[in-house]
Amino acid sequence: MRIFVTAFMCLGSLWASDWIPHEIDKTGRSNSVLAADYDGDGKMEIISSTAGEVWLRHGEGHQDKHRVAKLINKQHRESCMHSCLMDVDNDGDLDFVGSSKEVFWLECPDQPLTQEWKLRTISNELKGTHCLIAYDVDKDGKEELVANSFVNGGKYPESICWLEPGQNKESAWSIYSLADKDAPGGTHYFACADLNGDGLTDLVTGAKGKPFKNGDYFAAWYSGKDPKMPWRKQMISDNQLHATNIIPAHVDGDEHMDLIATRGHGKGVLWFKGPDWKASEIDTSMIEPHSLDVADIDGDGDTHLATCGLGSKVVAWYENDGNGNFTKHVVATDQESYDLRLVDVDNDGDLDIINAGRATGNVVWYENRLKK
């Protein structure tokens, strides 16, 4: 029996047994979590920053841990605001990129599970960096870094920039503003895809507003042939109170790209149908769904989503019927989140949830048992 989004709350907990929680860290606040297979065993190691240190957890049940780096200087918080993995030095392995009071990277060594990772500054000119993503912006076959600078001050006020590594590890990075003083309101998270079918990769973001001015919107920036020039901005939807996350995805099976979004400092999950970006609410009751990821969670070929309410402390995934109708399934309760990702942690062919718990002071991965 299917209970659609308008009547899901009473039955959501019945699905919790389909997800097995594994708490792998409970030492303090963690805002961001990542996973990659560094030892080649086919299973993912989980990386997060807590209490001024970056940790890589591995082994059976992720009970073994290795301190990747200690964030010791005044430019670093106790936990990175956000992070991503990127092969910065083009040596074939994934380095760690973090945003704190500066943007920095940690070089993956030859023995990543036992050796210290060297810390290098990328930029301290970006102020208020909340989100980091890595992708090939200029189509040169190498990834670049995208980061925001949402403070109204400094060299790149209220901007979104992409950053290109220098010729060697010690060289300065080149910085180009794709949204040049044109991304006000506390931009939060971004994602990238070809939104209009022109073969170029575009970017979408949400801006949370309060206490920042001119926020509460979802917007897109369209890349031109020269990505070093400012990109064309389109407002997807304004009057979106406390908007944070937005991810391109094919929701309803047509040829157009759609967008799935959350108001992570407010209330609600929604999606926008492309190409005209008509909004449809998925869940108006989810309080502060600060984290978001989208993928085929149950293996049926449709695009689903997972989120966790920072305020409601509910981890949930939403099952899409392929036409944009979503059913909510509760994964866990009494669990906060600042960031989560859908990753096949245990190499069993399905996507699990890894979650950075922030105020609940933990990192958890939820084992997907939907098809077992």
Side-chain angles (χ1 to χ4, degrees):
M1 178 176 67
R2 297 177 62 82
I3 306 297
F4 285 101
V5 68
T6 54
F8 48 51
M9 290 302 292
C10 61
L11 293 185
S13 61
L14 297 180
W15 286 81
S17 61
D18 290 324
W19 299 85
I20 300 174
H22 303 272
E23 186 177 56
I24 62 170
D25 179 76
K26 50 183 178 181
T27 59
R29 180 188 182 110
S30 184
N31 294 328
S32 183
V33 62
L34 301 164
D37 181 9
Y38 281 100
D39 59 5
D41 68 350
K43 296 182 180 180
M44 296 289 186
E45 287 74 60
I46 296 177
I47 309 170
S48 61
S49 61
T50 306
E53 298 172 315
V54 180
W55 292 92
L56 187 152
R57 287 173 170 79
H58 59 98
E60 191 65 31
H62 296 90
Q63 296 306 306
D64 300 324
K65 63 181 182 179
H66 168 55
R67 190 179 74 181
V68 166
K70 186 173 180 62
L71 308 179
I72 56 175
N73 66 44
K74 63 182 181 180
Q75 297 299 327
H76 298 118
R77 307 171 189 270
E78 63 172 348
S79 176
C80 296
M81 185 61 69
H82 202 237
S83 57
C84 69
L85 297 176
M86 173 183 175
D87 186 1
V88 174
D89 48 9
N90 289 302
D91 64 353
D93 54 33
L94 292 172
D95 307 299
F96 177 96
V97 181
S99 62
S100 191
K101 295 180 181 179
E102 68 173 6
V103 181
F104 66 95
W105 70 285
L106 304 174
E107 181 186 355
C108 178
D110 292 337
Q111 303 296 325
L113 274 62
T114 57
Q115 294 178 315
E116 193 92 353
W117 296 33
K118 182 176 177 58
L119 187 151
R120 292 185 174 86
T121 296
I122 294 174
S123 175
N124 53 28
E125 295 179 318
L126 305 180
K127 305 298 183 183
T129 297
H130 196 288
C131 183
L132 300 166
I133 58 172
Y135 72 97
D136 186 0
V137 177
D138 58 3
K139 304 294 184 181
D140 66 349
K142 296 181 290 186
E143 286 189 327
E144 288 80 35
L145 181 70
V146 183
N148 57 352
S149 184
F150 65 40
V151 173
N152 187 15
K155 189 174 181 180
Y156 301 96
E158 297 183 326
S159 299
I160 301 173
C161 302
W162 66 275
L163 299 87
E164 184 176 29
Q167 293 298 312
N168 59 63
K169 297 173 185 178
E170 305 299 334
S171 299
W173 291 50
S174 300
I175 304 177
Y176 307 98
S177 293
L178 69 89
D180 187 15
K181 304 178 185 66
D182 192 29
T187 52
H188 250 51
Y189 296 102
F190 11 93
C192 54
D194 182 0
L195 298 179
N196 56 3
D198 64 357
L200 302 174
T201 303
D202 312 305
L203 183 138
V204 289
T205 190
K208 76 170 188 174
K210 188 178 180 179
F212 301 96
K213 295 180 179 179
N214 303 315
D216 299 324
Y217 64 81
F218 295 108
W221 277 266
Y222 294 87
S223 176
K225 292 183 178 180
D226 182 359
K228 295 180 181 180
M229 300 298 292
W231 298 12
R232 177 175 63 86
K233 181 180 180 179
Q234 179 192 23
M235 189 65 68
I236 300 295
S237 182
D238 56 10
N239 195 28
Q240 294 287 341
L241 194 62
H242 306 318
T244 52
N245 305 63
I246 186 165
I247 298 177
H250 288 287
V251 173
D252 57 359
D254 66 14
E255 71 275 17
H256 299 295
M257 187 66 73
D258 308 302
L259 301 166
I260 295 175
T262 62
R263 306 180 190 97
H265 280 282
K267 184 185 291 186
V269 182
L270 67 160
W271 72 282
F272 297 95
K273 179 177 173 57
D276 299 323
W277 311 130
K278 179 182 178 182
S280 296
E281 298 290 337
I282 295 173
D283 181 357
T284 58
S285 66
M286 178 64 96
I287 300 172
E288 296 180 328
H290 197 274
S291 54
L292 176 68
D293 204 358
V294 303
D296 182 3
I297 294 173
D298 61 2
D300 67 353
D302 299 320
T303 300
H304 315 293
L305 71 99
T307 186
C308 178
L310 187 151
S312 59
K313 295 186 178 180
V314 173
V315 183
W317 76 280
Y318 295 76
E319 181 183 4
N320 177 17
D321 68 355
N323 296 305
N325 302 304
F326 289 84
T327 305
K328 180 180 182 180
H329 306 297
V330 174
V331 174
T333 57
D334 199 28
Q335 174 64 51
E336 200 187 80
S337 174
Y338 213 71
D339 179 37
L340 62 73
R341 319 279 175 120
L342 291 165
V343 179
D344 186 1
V345 175
D346 49 7
N347 195 32
D348 65 352
D350 55 28
L351 293 174
D352 311 296
I353 297 171
I354 54 175
N355 183 70
R358 206 191 75 147
T360 43
N362 61 355
V363 175
V364 186
W365 75 276
Y366 297 95
E367 182 181 349
N368 184 343
R369 304 286 294 177
L370 292 170
K371 297 189 293 183
K372 306 299 186 292

